[in-house]
Amino acid sequence: MELYIEQFKALGDKTRLAIIWLLNSVPGDLCVCEITDAIGESHCNISRHLKILKGAKLVKEKKEGRWVYFDLAKPQDQVQGYIMQALATIPADAFLEMAARLQLRLSLRDGNRCVDGVKSNNWRRVVNKVNGKNDINEK
Amino acid sequence: MELYIEQFKALGDKTRLAIIWLLNSVPGDLCVCEITDAIGESHCNISRHLKILKGAKLVKEKKEGRWVYFDLAKPQDQVQGYIMQALATIPADAFLEMAARLQLRLSLRDGNRCVDGVKSNNWRRVVNKVNGKNDINEK
DNA sequence: TTCATATATTCAAGTTTGTGCACATAATAT
DNA sequence: ATATTATGTGCACAAACTTGAATATATGAA
């Protein structure tokens, strides 16, 4: 019961729902800095939100040296199973720009692993290149 | 998107989750005062929580004179469908006492409609009678 | 070792939320 | 009309939440 409340509370936030949606949009896991650049918020904020999601057992983390990868957690019971299904069903409408930024960010990976920190030079370069063609990531 | 956030936020509260559970535990609808007596909080608080749930389109209301009945809302899309399924799956464990109070409260109905206000004399009477036998509703 | 970097945490605002109290509204009864 | 009753709302305040800035931790590189 307490866990359900914690889970619903964790999901009642724009940034955290965005994180969940990002994790649903890829087959594997995502690095903290990839999530940060895709959403475009400060890294400390993303870190905090990830901690809340982890506390609610909605995501699980895997450490690889300095990098920390997050993925959706396996449902602990039937209730959470339905919650995860609901989350997987959320349409892309409100997340199109963010989804494009994530794909761009994932193109920087090497051997399917993240090799760029938050707001790296590589990231700035590809963003600028894409911005020259269309207005992705434009405010 | 905003609606999903509002729905998750609405569900991230102990009292509101209790209200949803009560509505799931009966085939029909429930009167405000029945919900209030079953949960055992102040009527104004229950009223406010119901307003929040209604704003999130999780419950719908039906007015009958002075009495206002609430019921679970029909899902507006597939996401809410899964959310409602999750809610319907929440186990009774944490709500046993409350469920017993609701059944007792519903026994006061006349013609399947509520005829007693919050903390009525009838309610006090049946609660005292039951308390004489076991410790339901005991603090 | 020292430095750089990915991530986490502490602190201090500012904001939101939950609740008790009193009062307001609306519908019924007398 | 007045009284009663079921429900809703405004106010005030405490608790919880969100966030930016700075700082800390931890891992790897040189």
Side-chain angles (χ1 to χ4, degrees), chain A residues 9 13 16 42 44-45 48-49 52 63 65-66:
Chain A
K9 208 177 288 186
D13 177 90
R16 291 194 289 268
S42 65
C44 65
N45 232 345
R48 270 187 288 237
H49 284 303
I52 291 173
K63 233 180 158 184
R66 271 182 297 190

Side-chain angles (χ1 to χ4, degrees), chain B residues 84-100:
Chain B
M84 299 306 275
Q85 282 194 73
L87 296 173
T89 312
I90 293 178
D93 309 27
F95 296 123
L96 292 181
E97 290 186 17
M98 189 182 69

